[in-house]
Amino acid sequence: MNRYSTPETFAAGLCAFINHDLPALNPRMTPDPQVGPDTLLFATGIIDSLAILHLIGWVEQTTGAKVGMEQVVMRNFQTVSAITATFANTNPTTA
């Protein structure tokens, strides 16, 4: 069982990634933006066009499944809760 095997642990891991790891990958981000499950990621400017690529990479690495282009829409990435609802139970696919 991986460490993100439930929606709760997935959401907690994603918040930790956005708050701590993502600012190191994207120097334009504010350090420790204090993102919670319902923080609006794009409306607040926390996630931009560069950060979304890192975020998609985290989701793919964590779930073991590719994020399809049709899934890269605002409603799926507005908040940590939306990302969790969309991707936390994704089954790995072969590339």
Side-chain angles (χ1 to χ4, degrees):
M1 192 178 262
N2 78 42
R3 62 186 172 151
Y4 302 120
S5 59
T6 67
E8 294 79 16
T9 57
F10 183 93
L14 181 54
C15 283
F17 173 76
I18 294 170
N19 287 322
H20 305 290
D21 300 330
L22 193 54
L25 298 171
N26 185 1
R28 295 182 293 190
M29 273 187 72
T30 302
D32 191 16
Q34 300 185 12
V35 167
D38 298 316
T39 303
L40 295 173
L41 300 174
F42 286 94
T44 58
I46 293 168
I47 299 296
D48 62 14
S49 59
L50 177 60
I52 188 67
L53 299 175
H54 293 296
L55 192 56
I56 291 168
W58 185 91
V59 169
E60 289 181 340
Q61 183 176 25
T62 300
T63 64
K66 293 285 184 193
V67 173
M69 291 306 296
E70 70 282 354
Q71 294 174 302
V72 183
V73 294
M74 188 63 70
R75 74 175 176 273
N76 291 343
F77 287 91
Q78 279 188 354
T79 63
V80 168
S81 294
I83 297 167
T84 300
T86 304
F87 299 105
N89 295 317
T90 301
N91 293 318
T93 58
T94 55

